[in-house]
């Protein structure tokens, strides 16, 4: 089959790889009909290269049709249409039963000290072959796949794999009061969707911050009060502008949807790039102990949120030696929640919004739909924020 493989920094290729097969009774194999390109994939493309191996199959946002089912998967049948969550979880362990499938005790990558295995996301998360491919082996298929109805186009449901539950959890963790205010830093796919979800969940004011014109326009068209980072000389001016809209306090909650590759963190960017250029045998252990993030967005969030407010971190962070302003965080009594989205924890709450009325705007959420064969172009376009790319779907 054809699949998108990682070959090195900014080097992805579409190659022939072996077809996946049933390996365990709890496996299924699906024929992929749509697969998303995620901002998290760009971290592998650019800064997390120390944890990658040439030939790794990328991608973690798939949906498709069930082709084969293992003997211990009673609720799936050949021909079922399914969305596959990006994490692999059993549904039966203590963590899964408490609503934390990202910490699944069955699939935890204990050798790396990490949580549940993820599709297509480095050796830290199990080096599981990913979903930007023609077919996908799905472990723990007795729990993971979400059956969806035939009929509507893939765009209606494919975001259940990651974008929707990640944005939903970001808003839930932000704990925005009814009628309250929330600022979303970064209006890529997750930040954009978080704004939409905050609105339907009752936020009174939603502020969105970015520096890409297309992203700002999309959010503004849906009633978000947007701020172009390029219009301010510094972070303090941006913070003052939003505080002026919130009685001088700052918003009740701030969602950081940027993560480790924030703009305005030159020294950390240099350190990230230096580690990515080292040989893997050296760069990997170094990154595990001394890696740093670009923290500009997080520092802005800490300064911006009102005293006693909540920070929700949904952008991916991977640093192990990050300095944080603990005095400010403690003095302001900030609450912080973070982590990978627990997809099956939220999927049943989200499904009622995926109707023909389309209150979240999923049907036209993608800006680009490309064949899998154009994956290298898709990665470069998305990474460089060209051609108005906000969300890319690929079709095998």
């Amino acid at each position: 089959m054809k699949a998108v493989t990682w070959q090195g920094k900014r080097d992805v290729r579409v190659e022939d790889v072996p077809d996946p097969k049933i390996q365990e009774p709890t496996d299924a194999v699906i024929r992929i009909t749509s697969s998303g390109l995620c901002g998290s994939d760009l971290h592998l493309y650019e800064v997390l290269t120390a944890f990658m191996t040439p030939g790794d199959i990328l991608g973690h946002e798939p949906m498709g049709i069930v082709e084969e089912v293992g003997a211990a998967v009673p609720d799936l049948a050949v021909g079922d249409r399914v969305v596959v969550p990006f994490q692999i979880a059993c549904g039966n362990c203590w963590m899964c039963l408490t609503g934390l499938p990202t910490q699944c005790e069955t699939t935890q990558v204990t050798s790396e000290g990490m949580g549940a295995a993820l599709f297509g996301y480095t050796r830290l998360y199990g080096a599981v072959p990913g979903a930007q491919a023609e077919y996908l082996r799905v472990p723990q298929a007795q729990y993971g796949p979400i059956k969806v109805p035939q009929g509507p186009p893939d765009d209606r449901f494919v975001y259940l794999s990651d974008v929707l539950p990640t944005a939903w959890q970001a808003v839930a963790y932000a704990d925005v009061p009814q009628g309250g205010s929330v600022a979303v830093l970064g209006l890529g796919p997750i930040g954009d969707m978080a704004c939409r979800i905050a609105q339907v969940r009752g936020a009174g004011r939603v502020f969105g911050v970015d520096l890409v014109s297309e992203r700002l326009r999309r959010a503004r068209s849906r009633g978000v009060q947007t701020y172009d980072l390029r219009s301010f000389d510094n972070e303090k001016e941006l913070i003052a502008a939003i505080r002026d809209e919130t009685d001088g306090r700052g918003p009740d909650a701030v969602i950081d949807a940027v993560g480790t590759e924030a703009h305005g963190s030159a020294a950390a960017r240099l350190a990230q790039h230096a580690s990515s250029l080292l040989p893997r045998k050296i760069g990997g252990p170094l990154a595990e102990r001394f890696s740093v993030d670009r923290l500009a967005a997080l520092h802005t969030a800490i300064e911006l949120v009102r005293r006693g407010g909540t920070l929700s971190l949904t952008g991916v962070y991977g640093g192990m030696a990050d300095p944080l302003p603990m005095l400010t965080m403690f003095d302001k009594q900030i609450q912080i929640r973070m982590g990978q989205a627990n997809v099956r924890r939220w999927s049943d709450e989200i499904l009622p919004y995926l109707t023909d009325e389309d209150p979240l705007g999923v049907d036209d959420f993608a800006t680009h739909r490309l064949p899998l064969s154009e994956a290298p172009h898709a990665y470069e376009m998305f990474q460089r924020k060209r051609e108005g790319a906000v969300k890319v779907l690929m079709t095998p």
Side-chain angles (χ1 to χ4, degrees):
M1 70 170 183
K2 298 290 186 183
V4 180
T5 64
W6 183 91
Q7 297 297 334
K9 183 176 179 178
R10 298 181 191 164
D11 182 4
V12 300
R13 305 174 194 174
V14 180
E15 297 189 319
D16 289 310
V17 301
D19 290 350
K21 301 182 183 299
I22 298 289
Q23 298 179 21
E24 301 290 341
T26 51
D27 287 351
V29 173
I30 70 166
R31 174 176 56 83
I32 294 173
T33 55
S34 292
S35 191
L37 174 55
C38 179
S40 298
D41 293 322
L42 297 185
H43 300 324
L44 310 182
Y45 190 67
E46 181 78 18
V47 301
L48 297 182
T49 57
F51 304 114
M52 299 293 290
T53 303
D56 283 350
I57 299 175
L58 299 169
H60 58 267
E61 296 186 347
M63 71 173 294
I65 306 299
V66 176
E67 294 281 307
E68 297 181 70
V69 179
V73 185
D75 296 327
L76 283 186
V78 172
D80 282 346
R81 189 186 193 196
V82 296
V83 179
V84 180
F86 69 88
Q87 79 245 179
I88 301 166
C90 71
N92 294 313
C93 69
W94 188 88
M95 286 290 183
C96 286
L97 293 174
T98 53
L100 292 169
T102 54
Q103 311 303 327
C104 175
E105 293 171 320
T106 300
T107 72
Q108 276 180 18
V109 187
T110 54
S111 60
E112 301 286 351
M114 305 300 281
L118 309 179
F119 287 104
Y121 216 78
T122 80
R123 64 173 173 80
L124 295 180
Y125 289 100
V128 181
Q132 291 168 5
E134 294 181 306
Y135 294 90
L136 177 70
R137 171 181 167 251
V138 181
Q140 304 297 327
Q142 81 288 347
Y143 174 67
I146 303 164
K147 287 196 282 189
V148 297
Q150 304 288 347
D154 282 8
D155 296 56
R156 180 74 56 83
F157 303 111
V158 66
Y159 305 115
L160 281 169
S161 59
D162 183 350
V163 173
L164 282 166
T166 297
W168 193 276
Q169 178 172 293
V171 175
Y173 280 8
D175 196 24
V176 186
Q178 284 294 304
S181 57
V182 58
V184 179
L185 306 184
L187 297 174
I190 302 302
D192 186 343
M193 186 57 72
C195 289
R196 303 179 187 202
I197 290 169
Q199 290 170 325
V200 302
R201 286 174 61 105
R205 301 285 298 278
V206 180
F207 309 104
V209 180
D210 208 291
L211 44 64
V212 179
S213 298
E214 175 65 18
R215 295 178 176 187
L216 291 160
R217 184 198 63 77
R218 277 166 58 101
R220 193 162 51 246
S221 72
R222 298 188 67 91
V224 176
Q225 188 168 331
T226 59
Y227 293 81
D228 187 339
L229 199 56
R230 298 167 297 183
S231 301
F232 299 90
D233 289 336
N234 53 55
E235 165 200 336
K236 292 187 182 300
E237 287 188 5
L238 169 68
I239 291 169
I242 299 177
R243 279 183 178 162
D244 284 346
E245 298 289 329
T246 55
D247 298 322
R249 297 188 190 96
D252 297 306
V254 177
I255 295 171
D256 174 1
V258 178
T260 185
E261 292 190 77
H263 290 267
S265 305
R269 178 184 174 89
L270 181 63
Q272 287 177 340
H273 281 269
S275 66
S276 72
L277 295 173
L278 293 171
R280 287 174 54 250
K281 288 185 179 180
I282 301 172
L286 187 68
E288 286 180 47
R289 295 184 60 191
F290 302 112
S291 56
V292 294
D293 294 295
R294 302 180 214 168
L295 295 175
L298 179 55
H299 283 285
T300 298
I302 291 167
E303 289 295 328
L304 177 59
V305 71
R306 70 162 170 81
R307 291 178 177 273
T310 302
L311 298 185
S312 176
L313 310 185
T314 191
V316 172
Y317 283 99
M320 292 293 284
D322 289 328
L324 291 173
M326 294 303 298
L327 172 62
T328 301
M329 294 160 67
F330 182 84
D331 179 65
K332 291 184 71 173
Q333 294 186 254
I334 294 171
Q335 302 177 74
I336 303 178
R337 296 196 71 180
M338 67 188 81
Q340 304 277 10
N342 298 288
V343 176
R344 292 306 304 268
R345 163 68 179 83
W346 309 111
S347 57
D348 288 346
E349 292 184 25
I350 298 168
L351 274 166
Y353 290 87
L354 305 183
T355 62
D356 288 342
E357 288 74 27
D358 194 18
L360 297 175
V362 294
D363 285 349
D364 60 359
F365 190 69
T367 55
H368 292 72
R369 295 170 181 80
L370 300 172
L372 192 70
S373 59
E374 294 186 25
H377 167 65
Y379 269 82
E380 182 181 16
M381 173 182 65
F382 191 31
Q383 197 265 342
R384 295 183 180 275
K385 301 179 177 66
R386 292 176 175 168
E387 301 177 35
V390 178
K391 185 60 185 178
V392 181
L393 294 179
M394 293 185 285
T395 304

